[in-house]
Amino acid sequence: MVLDLSQSKQLKYLSLGVLVLQTTSLVLTMRYSRTLEEDEPRYLASSAVVSAEVLKIFACALLVFRENNFSLQGMSLLLKEQIVKKPVETLKLAVPAGIYTLQNNLLYVALSNLDAATYQVTYQLKILTTALFSVSMLGKRLGLYQWLSLVLLMAGVTLVQWPTETDEDTEQEVLTAGSQFVGVMSVLMACLSSGFAGVYFEKILKETKQSVWVRNIQLGLFSFMFGLVGMMAFDGESVRRSGMFQGYNTVTCAVVVLQALGGLVIAVVIKYADNILKGFATSLSIIMSTLISYFLLKDFNPTGVPFFLSVPAASSGCFSWGRCWLLLPPFCTATRSNLPTEAPSKCSQRAA
Protein backbone atom coordinates (compact mmCIF):
# COMPACT_ATOMS: atom_id res chain seq x y z
CA MET A 1 0.00 0.00 0.00
CA VAL A 2 1.58 3.27 -1.16
CA LEU A 3 0.69 6.46 0.68
CA ASP A 4 1.18 9.96 -0.68
CA LEU A 5 3.09 12.57 1.31
CA SER A 6 0.05 14.12 3.03
CA GLN A 7 -1.39 10.74 4.03
CA SER A 8 2.00 9.60 5.35
CA LYS A 9 2.36 12.79 7.40
CA GLN A 10 -1.15 12.46 8.83
CA LEU A 11 -0.53 8.82 9.72
CA LYS A 12 2.76 9.74 11.37
CA TYR A 13 1.27 12.28 13.77
CA LEU A 14 -1.87 10.22 14.36
CA SER A 15 0.24 7.18 15.28
CA LEU A 16 2.40 9.29 17.61
CA GLY A 17 -0.70 10.60 19.39
CA VAL A 18 -2.17 7.12 19.70
CA LEU A 19 1.17 5.83 21.01
CA VAL A 20 1.20 8.43 23.80
CA LEU A 21 -2.36 7.51 24.82
CA GLN A 22 -1.70 3.77 24.53
CA THR A 23 1.51 3.88 26.58
CA THR A 24 -0.07 6.05 29.26
CA SER A 25 -3.09 3.72 29.49
CA LEU A 26 -0.85 0.65 29.57
CA VAL A 27 1.33 2.00 32.39
CA LEU A 28 -1.67 2.88 34.56
CA THR A 29 -3.58 -0.32 33.79
CA MET A 30 -0.54 -2.55 34.29
CA ARG A 31 0.25 -0.82 37.58
CA TYR A 32 -3.31 -1.38 38.76
CA SER A 33 -3.27 -5.01 37.65
CA ARG A 34 -0.03 -5.74 39.52
CA THR A 35 -1.19 -4.08 42.75
CA LEU A 36 -4.76 -5.41 42.73
CA GLU A 37 -5.31 -7.63 45.76
CA GLU A 38 -7.21 -10.81 45.00
CA ASP A 39 -7.58 -14.26 46.49
CA GLU A 40 -6.41 -15.90 43.25
CA PRO A 41 -2.73 -16.01 42.28
CA ARG A 42 -1.45 -13.05 40.29
CA TYR A 43 -1.15 -13.51 36.53
CA LEU A 44 2.24 -14.36 35.06
CA ALA A 45 3.95 -11.48 33.26
CA SER A 46 5.56 -13.93 30.82
CA SER A 47 2.12 -15.33 29.99
CA ALA A 48 0.79 -11.83 29.30
CA VAL A 49 3.70 -11.17 26.92
CA VAL A 50 3.02 -14.38 24.97
CA SER A 51 -0.73 -13.68 24.87
CA ALA A 52 -0.08 -10.17 23.55
CA GLU A 53 2.12 -11.55 20.76
CA VAL A 54 -0.59 -14.01 19.72
CA LEU A 55 -3.19 -11.23 19.69
CA LYS A 56 -0.85 -8.97 17.71
CA ILE A 57 -0.27 -11.66 15.07
CA PHE A 58 -4.01 -12.24 14.80
CA ALA A 59 -4.69 -8.49 14.43
CA CYS A 60 -2.00 -8.14 11.75
CA ALA A 61 -3.45 -11.12 9.87
CA LEU A 62 -6.85 -9.40 9.87
CA LEU A 63 -5.27 -6.21 8.51
CA VAL A 64 -3.51 -8.18 5.77
CA PHE A 65 -6.84 -9.86 5.04
CA ARG A 66 -8.41 -6.41 4.68
CA GLU A 67 -5.60 -5.19 2.39
CA ASN A 68 -6.31 -8.18 0.12
CA ASN A 69 -9.97 -7.18 -0.28
CA PHE A 70 -11.10 -9.76 2.30
CA SER A 71 -9.84 -12.64 0.16
CA LEU A 72 -8.53 -15.64 2.11
CA GLN A 73 -6.82 -16.98 -0.98
CA GLY A 74 -5.14 -13.65 -1.66
CA MET A 75 -3.98 -13.37 1.95
CA SER A 76 -2.62 -16.92 2.05
CA LEU A 77 -0.77 -16.42 -1.23
CA LEU A 78 0.74 -13.15 0.01
CA LEU A 79 1.87 -14.62 3.33
CA LYS A 80 3.32 -17.67 1.59
CA GLU A 81 5.12 -15.45 -0.92
CA GLN A 82 6.44 -12.97 1.63
CA ILE A 83 7.20 -15.27 4.57
CA VAL A 84 7.67 -18.87 3.44
CA LYS A 85 9.36 -18.21 0.09
CA LYS A 86 11.62 -15.50 1.49
CA PRO A 87 13.29 -17.20 4.46
CA VAL A 88 16.25 -14.82 4.49
CA GLU A 89 14.00 -11.76 4.76
CA THR A 90 11.94 -13.50 7.44
CA LEU A 91 15.02 -14.49 9.45
CA LYS A 92 16.12 -10.85 9.58
CA LEU A 93 13.29 -10.26 12.03
CA ALA A 94 14.71 -12.90 14.39
CA VAL A 95 17.38 -10.38 15.39
CA PRO A 96 15.10 -7.66 16.83
CA ALA A 97 12.69 -10.31 18.18
CA GLY A 98 15.49 -12.01 20.11
CA ILE A 99 16.85 -8.69 21.36
CA TYR A 100 13.41 -7.53 22.47
CA THR A 101 12.99 -10.78 24.42
CA LEU A 102 16.43 -10.30 26.01
CA GLN A 103 15.49 -6.72 26.82
CA ASN A 104 12.28 -7.78 28.58
CA ASN A 105 14.19 -10.31 30.68
CA LEU A 106 16.84 -7.70 31.54
CA LEU A 107 14.17 -5.30 32.72
CA TYR A 108 12.68 -7.95 35.00
CA VAL A 109 16.18 -8.51 36.45
CA ALA A 110 16.61 -4.76 36.86
CA LEU A 111 13.28 -4.32 38.65
CA SER A 112 14.19 -7.19 40.96
CA ASN A 113 17.40 -5.42 42.01
CA LEU A 114 16.53 -1.72 41.86
CA ASP A 115 13.82 0.48 43.27
CA ALA A 116 11.34 1.76 40.70
CA ALA A 117 12.62 5.36 40.76
CA THR A 118 16.25 4.45 40.05
CA TYR A 119 15.11 2.09 37.31
CA GLN A 120 13.01 4.80 35.61
CA VAL A 121 15.81 7.36 35.83
CA THR A 122 18.46 5.06 34.38
CA TYR A 123 16.24 3.60 31.67
CA GLN A 124 15.79 7.03 30.09
CA LEU A 125 19.28 6.62 28.63
CA LYS A 126 17.53 4.62 25.89
CA ILE A 127 16.55 7.95 24.31
CA LEU A 128 20.20 8.82 23.75
CA THR A 129 21.22 5.30 22.68
CA THR A 130 18.42 5.34 20.11
CA ALA A 131 19.63 8.68 18.76
CA LEU A 132 23.22 7.40 18.57
CA PHE A 133 22.19 4.23 16.72
CA SER A 134 20.01 6.30 14.37
CA VAL A 135 23.01 8.44 13.48
CA SER A 136 25.42 5.52 13.06
CA MET A 137 23.12 2.95 11.39
CA LEU A 138 20.73 5.13 9.39
CA GLY A 139 23.01 8.02 8.60
CA LYS A 140 20.70 10.58 10.19
CA ARG A 141 22.09 13.99 11.05
CA LEU A 142 20.84 15.79 14.12
CA GLY A 143 21.27 19.52 14.63
CA LEU A 144 22.48 21.15 17.82
CA TYR A 145 18.96 22.05 18.92
CA GLN A 146 17.82 18.46 18.45
CA TRP A 147 20.59 17.10 20.66
CA LEU A 148 19.64 19.77 23.20
CA SER A 149 16.00 18.65 22.92
CA LEU A 150 17.01 15.05 23.67
CA VAL A 151 18.93 16.15 26.76
CA LEU A 152 16.04 18.33 27.97
CA LEU A 153 13.52 15.54 27.54
CA MET A 154 15.73 13.01 29.30
CA ALA A 155 16.28 15.50 32.14
CA GLY A 156 12.52 16.08 32.44
CA VAL A 157 11.69 12.39 32.63
CA THR A 158 14.56 11.84 35.07
CA LEU A 159 13.32 14.61 37.37
CA VAL A 160 9.74 13.36 37.38
CA GLN A 161 10.97 9.96 38.59
CA TRP A 162 13.61 11.33 40.96
CA PRO A 163 13.56 9.45 44.28
CA THR A 164 12.32 11.44 47.24
CA GLU A 165 13.42 11.15 50.84
CA THR A 166 10.94 9.90 53.42
CA ASP A 167 11.16 9.12 57.10
CA GLU A 168 10.53 5.44 56.38
CA ASP A 169 13.10 3.04 55.08
CA THR A 170 13.04 2.95 51.31
CA GLU A 171 13.80 0.10 48.96
CA GLN A 172 17.02 1.85 47.99
CA GLU A 173 18.30 1.66 51.55
CA VAL A 174 17.79 -2.06 51.88
CA LEU A 175 19.30 -3.04 48.57
CA THR A 176 22.89 -4.27 48.72
CA ALA A 177 25.67 -2.74 46.63
CA GLY A 178 26.02 -5.94 44.62
CA SER A 179 22.30 -6.07 43.91
CA GLN A 180 22.30 -2.45 42.77
CA PHE A 181 25.25 -3.10 40.47
CA VAL A 182 23.43 -6.02 38.83
CA GLY A 183 20.33 -3.88 38.44
CA VAL A 184 22.15 -0.91 36.92
CA MET A 185 24.11 -3.09 34.50
CA SER A 186 20.86 -4.80 33.45
CA VAL A 187 19.25 -1.44 32.73
CA LEU A 188 22.28 -0.20 30.77
CA MET A 189 22.28 -3.37 28.64
CA ALA A 190 18.53 -2.96 28.13
CA CYS A 191 19.08 0.63 26.97
CA LEU A 192 21.64 -0.52 24.40
CA SER A 193 19.51 -3.42 23.22
CA SER A 194 16.40 -1.23 23.02
CA GLY A 195 18.16 1.38 20.90
CA PHE A 196 19.78 -1.15 18.58
CA ALA A 197 16.70 -3.34 18.09
CA GLY A 198 14.43 -0.38 17.45
CA VAL A 199 16.74 1.21 14.87
CA TYR A 200 17.42 -2.18 13.24
CA PHE A 201 13.67 -2.76 12.87
CA GLU A 202 13.24 0.76 11.49
CA LYS A 203 15.98 0.08 8.93
CA ILE A 204 14.24 -3.11 7.80
CA LEU A 205 10.83 -1.43 7.56
CA LYS A 206 12.09 1.54 5.56
CA GLU A 207 14.28 -0.46 3.19
CA THR A 208 11.56 -2.89 2.18
CA LYS A 209 8.38 -2.64 0.15
CA GLN A 210 6.66 -5.27 2.23
CA SER A 211 3.55 -4.33 4.17
CA VAL A 212 4.24 -3.17 7.72
CA TRP A 213 1.66 -5.72 8.86
CA VAL A 214 3.47 -8.59 7.14
CA ARG A 215 6.69 -7.48 8.79
CA ASN A 216 4.90 -7.33 12.12
CA ILE A 217 3.64 -10.89 11.63
CA GLN A 218 7.21 -12.02 10.97
CA LEU A 219 8.43 -10.19 14.08
CA GLY A 220 5.52 -11.55 16.12
CA LEU A 221 6.19 -15.15 15.14
CA PHE A 222 9.76 -14.98 16.42
CA SER A 223 8.74 -12.97 19.50
CA PHE A 224 6.08 -15.59 20.27
CA MET A 225 8.61 -18.42 20.03
CA PHE A 226 11.20 -16.63 22.16
CA GLY A 227 8.52 -15.56 24.65
CA LEU A 228 7.15 -19.09 24.92
CA VAL A 229 10.63 -20.46 25.61
CA GLY A 230 11.16 -17.76 28.24
CA MET A 231 7.82 -18.49 29.89
CA MET A 232 8.54 -22.20 30.16
CA ALA A 233 12.08 -21.53 31.36
CA PHE A 234 11.19 -19.06 34.12
CA ASP A 235 7.57 -19.92 34.97
CA GLY A 236 7.28 -23.48 33.65
CA GLU A 237 6.52 -25.03 37.02
CA SER A 238 3.77 -22.50 37.76
CA VAL A 239 2.29 -22.99 34.28
CA ARG A 240 2.21 -26.77 34.69
CA ARG A 241 0.64 -26.44 38.13
CA SER A 242 -2.01 -23.76 37.54
CA GLY A 243 -2.11 -23.22 33.78
CA MET A 244 -0.91 -20.44 31.50
CA PHE A 245 -3.91 -18.21 32.16
CA GLN A 246 -3.86 -18.34 35.95
CA GLY A 247 -4.93 -15.10 37.58
CA TYR A 248 -6.45 -13.66 34.39
CA ASN A 249 -9.36 -11.25 34.82
CA THR A 250 -10.86 -8.29 32.99
CA VAL A 251 -7.99 -6.00 33.95
CA THR A 252 -5.43 -8.56 32.79
CA CYS A 253 -7.18 -8.88 29.44
CA ALA A 254 -7.09 -5.09 29.12
CA VAL A 255 -3.33 -5.14 29.74
CA VAL A 256 -2.83 -7.81 27.05
CA VAL A 257 -4.95 -5.87 24.54
CA LEU A 258 -3.05 -2.64 25.25
CA GLN A 259 0.28 -4.44 24.88
CA ALA A 260 -0.76 -5.87 21.53
CA LEU A 261 -2.04 -2.47 20.40
CA GLY A 262 1.29 -0.98 21.40
CA GLY A 263 3.14 -3.38 19.13
CA LEU A 264 0.96 -2.39 16.18
CA VAL A 265 1.23 1.35 16.83
CA ILE A 266 5.00 1.24 17.37
CA ALA A 267 5.45 -0.50 14.02
CA VAL A 268 3.46 2.27 12.29
CA VAL A 269 5.41 4.97 14.15
CA ILE A 270 8.75 3.43 13.16
CA LYS A 271 7.59 3.03 9.55
CA TYR A 272 6.28 6.56 9.05
CA ALA A 273 8.21 8.52 11.69
CA ASP A 274 11.32 7.19 13.44
CA ASN A 275 12.61 5.71 16.70
CA ILE A 276 13.66 9.05 18.16
CA LEU A 277 10.13 10.43 17.85
CA LYS A 278 8.92 7.13 19.32
CA GLY A 279 11.20 7.76 22.30
CA PHE A 280 9.75 11.24 22.70
CA ALA A 281 6.20 9.87 22.59
CA THR A 282 6.82 7.12 25.14
CA SER A 283 8.72 9.50 27.45
CA LEU A 284 5.91 12.04 27.21
CA SER A 285 3.55 9.28 28.29
CA ILE A 286 5.62 8.84 31.47
CA ILE A 287 5.05 12.52 32.27
CA MET A 288 1.31 12.11 31.57
CA SER A 289 1.12 8.98 33.75
CA THR A 290 2.79 10.79 36.61
CA LEU A 291 0.50 13.81 36.29
CA ILE A 292 -2.57 11.55 36.25
CA SER A 293 -1.27 9.69 39.30
CA TYR A 294 -0.71 12.98 41.10
CA PHE A 295 -3.83 14.96 40.20
CA LEU A 296 -6.48 12.28 39.56
CA LEU A 297 -5.50 9.01 41.21
CA LYS A 298 -3.69 10.80 44.06
CA ASP A 299 -1.37 7.83 44.58
CA PHE A 300 1.81 9.77 43.84
CA ASN A 301 2.99 12.36 46.37
CA PRO A 302 6.16 14.15 45.24
CA THR A 303 8.29 16.06 47.72
CA GLY A 304 10.81 18.71 46.81
CA VAL A 305 11.26 20.65 43.58
CA PRO A 306 12.43 17.95 41.06
CA PHE A 307 8.89 16.93 40.16
CA PHE A 308 7.79 20.49 39.52
CA LEU A 309 10.84 21.14 37.32
CA SER A 310 10.28 18.00 35.28
CA VAL A 311 7.24 19.06 33.27
CA PRO A 312 8.76 22.34 32.00
CA ALA A 313 11.99 20.54 31.11
CA ALA A 314 10.24 17.74 29.22
CA SER A 315 7.83 20.15 27.54
CA SER A 316 10.73 22.34 26.45
CA GLY A 317 12.46 19.31 24.97
CA CYS A 318 9.37 18.30 22.99
CA PHE A 319 8.69 21.87 21.86
CA SER A 320 12.32 22.42 20.81
CA TRP A 321 12.34 19.17 18.84
CA GLY A 322 9.08 20.11 17.16
CA ARG A 323 10.47 23.49 16.10
CA CYS A 324 13.61 21.86 14.72
CA TRP A 325 11.46 19.26 12.93
CA LEU A 326 8.88 21.57 11.41
CA LEU A 327 9.71 25.25 11.64
CA LEU A 328 13.26 26.46 12.06
CA PRO A 329 15.03 26.87 8.68
CA PRO A 330 18.66 26.58 9.89
CA PHE A 331 18.10 23.03 11.12
CA CYS A 332 15.85 21.64 8.36
CA THR A 333 18.67 20.51 6.12
CA ALA A 334 20.60 18.79 8.90
CA THR A 335 17.95 16.78 10.66
CA ARG A 336 17.04 13.65 8.77
CA SER A 337 18.29 11.87 5.71
CA ASN A 338 14.76 10.83 4.78
CA LEU A 339 12.94 14.17 4.81
CA PRO A 340 10.33 14.61 2.06
CA THR A 341 11.68 16.25 -1.07
CA GLU A 342 9.45 19.29 -0.52
CA ALA A 343 11.03 20.13 2.83
CA PRO A 344 14.45 21.41 1.65
CA SER A 345 12.90 23.84 -0.80
CA LYS A 346 10.61 25.30 1.85
CA CYS A 347 13.47 25.55 4.29
CA SER A 348 15.65 27.18 1.69
CA GLN A 349 12.93 29.72 0.93
CA ARG A 350 12.57 30.58 4.60
CA ALA A 351 16.31 30.82 5.07
CA ALA A 352 16.52 33.14 2.08
Side-chain angles (χ1 to χ4, degrees):
M1 181 174 61
V2 180
L3 298 176
D4 59 32
L5 182 62
S6 61
Q7 288 178 319
S8 179
K9 188 174 181 179
Q10 290 174 0
L11 188 56
K12 175 177 72 174
Y13 292 115
L14 176 62
S15 61
L16 284 170
V18 173
L19 180 60
V20 172
L21 294 175
Q22 177 272 333
T23 307
T24 303
S25 302
L26 177 61
V27 169
L28 297 174
T29 307
M30 185 179 292
R31 179 179 180 180
Y32 177 72
S33 71
R34 300 305 282 180
T35 57
L36 185 64
E37 295 184 1
E38 290 188 337
D39 296 333
E40 300 178 358
R42 183 176 296 172
Y43 73 91
L44 302 174
S46 57
S47 169
V49 171
V50 173
S51 299
E53 291 300 330
V54 173
L55 184 59
K56 184 175 71 175
I57 294 171
F58 179 73
C60 287
L62 288 178
L63 290 168
V64 173
F65 179 57
R66 177 179 175 273
E67 286 183 349
N68 285 271
N69 298 318
F70 303 99
S71 170
L72 283 175
Q73 183 178 6
M75 182 184 74
S76 61
L77 288 175
L78 176 66
L79 294 180
K80 183 177 180 181
E81 181 70 26
Q82 298 293 338
I83 298 178
V84 179
K85 293 186 177 181
K86 293 183 179 180
V88 175
E89 290 295 316
T90 300
L91 284 173
K92 287 181 180 179
L93 274 299
V95 176
I99 294 177
Y100 282 137
T101 303
L102 173 64
Q103 174 191 334
N104 289 333
N105 289 326
L106 286 171
L107 294 182
Y108 278 114
V109 173
L111 284 169
S112 299
N113 292 278
L114 291 176
D115 60 277
T118 304
Y119 159 78
Q120 286 280 24
V121 169
T122 311
Y123 194 44
Q124 299 320 306
L125 286 173
K126 68 180 179 179
I127 302 172
L128 290 181
T129 60
T130 300
L132 292 172
F133 280 118
S134 295
V135 170
S136 60
M137 294 175 62
L138 300 178
K140 294 186 178 181
R141 298 164 57 196
L142 303 182
L144 176 62
Y145 274 61
Q146 289 180 303
W147 284 112
L148 179 61
S149 300
L150 289 170
V151 174
L152 279 172
L153 179 67
M154 191 177 71
V157 178
T158 298
L159 286 171
V160 81
Q161 297 292 340
W162 195 263
T164 56
E165 294 182 0
T166 61
D167 294 333
E168 301 177 359
D169 291 337
T170 62
E171 292 180 79
Q172 182 70 29
E173 293 172 341
V174 301
L175 292 172
T176 65
S179 178
Q180 291 183 44
F181 177 77
V182 171
V184 170
M185 291 304 298
S186 298
V187 175
L188 293 178
M189 290 178 64
C191 289
L192 288 173
S193 62
S194 174
F196 176 80
V199 174
Y200 181 92
F201 189 41
E202 178 182 350
K203 185 178 178 68
I204 291 176
L205 285 178
K206 291 185 174 179
E207 290 182 352
T208 182
K209 294 182 180 180
Q210 282 183 314
S211 164
V212 64
W213 309 126
V214 173
R215 281 301 196 184
N216 231 15
I217 290 175
Q218 294 171 317
L219 180 66
L221 288 173
F222 286 111
S223 298
F224 167 74
M225 290 187 290
F226 289 133
L228 189 62
V229 171
M231 181 181 69
M232 297 310 298
F234 293 101
D235 298 314
E237 182 178 348
S238 181
V239 170
R240 286 189 289 270
R241 183 177 63 252
S242 303
M244 175 178 170
F245 301 106
Q246 57 182 285
Y248 272 52
N249 52 32
T250 304
V251 179
T252 308
C253 293
V255 170
V256 171
V257 171
L258 286 169
Q259 280 187 319
L261 175 62
L264 299 177
V265 176
I266 286 173
V268 175
V269 169
I270 293 175
K271 176 71 174 179
Y272 297 105
D274 62 27
N275 268 282
I276 302 177
L277 277 178
K278 185 198 80 173
F280 269 72
T282 52
S283 296
L284 183 60
S285 72
I286 294 177
I287 302 291
M288 289 182 61
S289 300
T290 306
L291 292 174
I292 291 173
S293 294
Y294 178 62
F295 289 108
L296 297 181
L297 303 181
K298 302 186 183 302
D299 59 354
F300 175 67
N301 185 26
T303 58
V305 297
F307 169 76
F308 298 99
L309 293 176
S310 63
V311 175
S315 300
S316 299
C318 292
F319 179 73
S320 299
W321 183 276
R323 284 178 62 84
C324 294
W325 195 265
L326 297 174
L327 300 176
L328 292 183
F331 306 100
C332 288
T333 57
T335 54
R336 299 193 300 171
S337 58
N338 59 341
L339 276 172
T341 55
E342 291 84 356
S345 62
K346 291 182 180 179
C347 292
S348 301
Q349 291 172 6
R350 288 187 180 179

